[in-house]
Amino acid sequence: MEYAIIFLPLIGSLIGYLGGSITKYFSEITTSFFVSLSAILSIFVFLRGIQNDIYGNYLVFEWISSGKFTANWSINIDPLSSVMLVVVTFVSALVHIYSIGYMSHDPHKPRFMSYLSLFTFSMLVLVVSDNFLQLFFGWEGVGLCSYLLIGFWFKKETANNAAIKAFIVNRIGDFGLAIAIFLIFFFFGTINFEDAFEATSLYAEKKLVFLGLELKLINLICIFLFIGAMGKSAQFLLHTWLPDAMEGPTPVSALIHAATMVTAGVFLVVRCSPMFEYSEIALNFVTVIGLITAIFAASVALVQNDIKKIVAYSTCSQLGYMFFAAGVGAYHVAMFHLFTHAFFKALLFLGAGSVIHAFNDEQDIRNMGGIRKKLPYTYIFMLIGTLALTGFPLLSGFYSKDAIIEFAYLKNSPLGNYAATIGILTAFLTSIYSWRLFFKVFHGTYNNKIISIKETHESPLIMLIPLLFLSIGAIFSGYFFKSIFIGDHSVDFWKTSIFFLSEIKSDVIPLWFLLITPILVVISVPISFYLYVSNPKLIEDFKNTNLPLYEFLLNKWYIDELYDKIFVRPAKKIGSFFWKKGDVGIIDKFGPDGISKLIKIISNKTGRLQTGFIYDYAFVMLLGLSVLLTYLILK
Amino acid sequence: MNFPILSTLIFLPLISSFFIFLSKDKTNNYSSIYISLFSSIATFLLSLFLWYSLDVKTSEFQFVEEKSWINNFIKFKLGIDGISILFIVLTTFITPICIVSCINSIKTRVKEFLIAILILETFMIGVFCSLDLVIFYLFFEAGLIPMFLIIGVWGGPRRVYSAFKFFLFTLLGSVLMLVAIIMIYWLTGTTDITQIYEITIPKEYQNILWLAFLSSFAVKMPMWPVHTWLPDAHVEAPTAGSVILAAILLKMAGYGFLRFSIPMFPIASEFFTPLIFTLSIIAIIYTSLVALMQDDMKKLIAYSSVAHMGYVTLGIFTLTKQGIEGSIYQMISHGLISAALFLCVGVVYDRLHSRMISAYGGLVNYLPKYSFLFLVFALAALGLPGTSGFLGEFLVLTGTFQKSYLAAMLATFGVILGAAYMLWMTKRVIFGTVNNSDIKNLKDINKSEILMLATLAFFVIFFGFYPLPLMETFNVSVNSLIDNYQIALNGN
């Protein structure tokens, strides 16, 4: 059964691609069917794990063996991977079904469905890995599928560029991950998780000289691991690819760039908790980067106008939350937020897709508004998604996000308090931008000039059903799974898959602190309504008086421009320089071309000596003879 | 075993080239194509049999043949071990593919072209079988001649310049190697390398001899800064020529390091490791950046080959298990991937007669099958896990990391650049909108092209997931190579 979970999507992908031309809906139905089957089995495995405690490591076959460098293809089911299995296959199945409707007019559906299934397979390979190499395979495999799907509309120049950007920025992250793997192999002599984690405590104090600096081995490993996670999870400095990735079709954004792939970084940190626990510095680094990302992305999301980009920045920001949860040592809470986030963020993306669909591919929220009556179901689903994302009491986001802030507070360190404060502030910003999006799309006046309000239409049933399932998840996943993920049963559930060096603190949290976030979240609803619906002039005035700030946020802190100036252009310039000056100008000029030119010159000169006139030769002979004679006489 | 199986393998292509020479094709060249295809497939099957019957549990040379040639001074000695067999199989595997590619790309003097290819095959197999320095040298250099002709006769407009550049560079190195071989004979009294392995060459001579061998191998590899002949040679060479050049000729130098430089001059190898590391790192970063800016597809792939060969030299001179195994794996894998990429360029060149990236764009609209395969090979070339390109690179980097953090970091950085130039080219050639109206009239790949490319794609992916057949073949040989090296170092 474990094999089936992993390989069904792959089989679906192959059959769907090859059989695309058999009948009209062949590939849609096969891929959706196979992934749904895999989802059902995953849920079964997950529940079986909770109830009967059945986990295991299943070998597929031996992959590589070079000295001590050995790795297997394996399926490792433990509590952590079983959670990921559910998230990945469940969201994936719904996205597959949704795509049948969403992509119905696209001529390349078989290819699209096949890529989606292939992605699901890669992601599953990633999460069930029992060694770093297979993880790396999945890691780059999902990157590949992300590349293929972002660039799915291959005629769009922007889509192609976004695809390449995503791949290359991810490669920068992969660079960190690769270095971490080299370090682990070099010092621990293994790349298996279990053996490496066991060895960690022995090397906790080991120091090494790395590029001239004396550092602790474990810090170095963890920081490089985290650089890998930063690339995949679009954390600050390596986040630039994620907003651009919205060039891909919306179901892709929901599956890859919200629910699953981007959370792989969080998964990695949690998976490697036995290492991170020994590295105070790396954990602090994770916290800081997580915090910066959370607030940075939320601030940018406030002013964006593209519906998908707002949700994308929101994803970025929520991933920041997960990381700072992990950074303060609350790995299980990070996983819990990952779990709930998958539901409501996929819901928001698919809902946004439904809106875009209704407007015939319009994505600018300034050109929307007032369509709640035309899209009643989408309206309700988006409402649920927004409530869950903002952490409205009793919905899923409430349980997981507040838990993160509480754990940061319980950490009782300067950084922990700081994290809690930023966390609360970001929660407030999150609700503002979420409601801004919601009100601008569904309330206010209708602003689209291209199509009239009558032409907008509700999405077909096949797109709404997945939304329904996700809404159920967005409402209830927090309440029902709280106790096993982070509550009383959490220790029984996670077992050894998450490692805590010291006992988690469970002091009583003051009531005022518990109430801050929910209150802020609740009052932000009328505030946003006032700002964006009742009295939009106010915010317009504010914008005009603070234009530099607005521009700064609108242009995403100018990070893309900065990268272009300091990395992209110099790389091209240096490349041209090496080619034109290095290869052609120096090596060839003084190498083969120079030699052949020299030979030509010499042979021309020597050639000229042969004049053909007898008196020239006689003169030279005479000259030689006299020199020889002089020499002999003088001797 | 008394049957001279290695000699048969070596001379089979040569003999069949003689039959092609006798064949009388005037209008079409089918009989010469069939003869050459038949003989090259027979050679391939024979090499597979050889691989099958090779005992991989020992590092001894097997199927050894020994004949006195010139007064017991030079022996015609052949033999193979777990390392060389893979290069032989690679050679015999690539040759039939090249012959198939001729059907579409060579229009003039087909007969002579096929003869050149088969003679080249003989020499290449000879290189990987030789156990005598002089024999090795003869095969190694003789390979220059057919290659020189392939570029010079069937090449593009600047073929004469390229052919001479190729010849000048390689000959320069070879002369020094010849002097070194004579010197080795003078020092040890033999050119039989199994005997030389037993003798320790005096320390004071090792460095100079090592450098002489390097001068030849560095050019063939090619290492920075003697790499500039390669892009020119590739650009002008016909498709089959490029394929053989990239897939096999470049591997002879890597093989040379493993078979000669390291076992014969271990102390010098240790001494010069920093030099090799530096040159390799420069090759990886420098040529990757240069590749980024190319507007000619073949040049881009040629530069990427230089970068990939940088990983090979890096890996070999780590003298670690992972490094060397990674290098061998990288060589085999690059043999498949670069061959495929050059074939891919050849496919569109045959149709549109341009190698410029700007002439293409949006191919996926009209050539979907081709585009799919092109993408597979581009991804393999950038080292995507699940393709053979990944494992070689990753093992090399793992090995390098054990010797130098800095070198490993820089080389890993090259992997990012590799993704950049490959994907950027793919984008400009395959994706996007069609700018050149001629593309609309292009036909997707035909059966023979699918056969070639799909076979290569299969192996590229197969060996990405299941490398053990290759790794088990060279495992023991690599172990003994490292052990002998360590013993030699400790002895001093």
Side-chain angles (χ1 to χ4, degrees), chain A residues 303-319:
Chain A
V303 299
Q304 296 301 311
N305 291 318
D306 184 315
I307 182 168
K308 286 180 71 181
K309 285 210 170 151
I310 299 174
V311 190
Y313 275 106
S314 160
T315 306
C316 220
S317 168
Q318 298 302 311
L319 290 166

Side-chain angles (χ1 to χ4, degrees), chain A residues 610-630:
Chain A
Q610 300 167 10
T611 56
F613 296 113
I614 192 108
Y615 50 81
D616 275 354
Y617 298 141
F619 177 70
V620 172
M621 278 160 76
L622 205 65
L623 208 66
L625 195 68
S626 53
V627 169
L628 202 67
L629 271 175
T630 324

Side-chain angles (χ1 to χ4, degrees), chain A residues 63 66-67 73 140 144 154-155 157 161 168 171 175 182 185 187 208-209 575-576 578-579 582-583 587-588 593, chain B residues 161 165 225 227-228 286 289 294 303 322 325 364-365 379 382-383 385 397 402 405 415 427 432 464-465 467:
Chain A
W63 184 9
S66 172
W73 291 108
E140 290 227 325
L144 164 74
F154 54 80
K155 286 182 189 170
E157 177 78 11
N161 290 338
I168 291 176
R171 269 259 155 144
F175 165 82
F182 301 150
F185 176 71
F187 287 98
L208 77 162
V209 179
S576 285
F578 280 159
W579 177 28
D583 272 17
I587 298 174
D588 278 358
D593 294 0
Chain B
Y161 171 77
K165 197 171 178 182
H227 64 281
T228 58
Y286 177 108
L289 285 167
Q294 296 305 311
Y303 274 110
Q322 287 82 27
E325 296 204 341
V364 70
N365 294 297
L379 291 170
L382 63 81
L397 293 171
Q402 298 165 32
Y405 300 142
V415 176
K427 178 202 138 190
F465 282 93

Side-chain angles (χ1 to χ4, degrees), chain B residues 163-179:
Chain B
F164 274 100
K165 197 171 178 182
F166 167 70
F167 206 81
L168 262 180
F169 261 114
T170 38
L171 199 69
L172 174 82
S174 313
V175 172
L176 292 174
M177 188 163 80
L178 182 64
V179 176

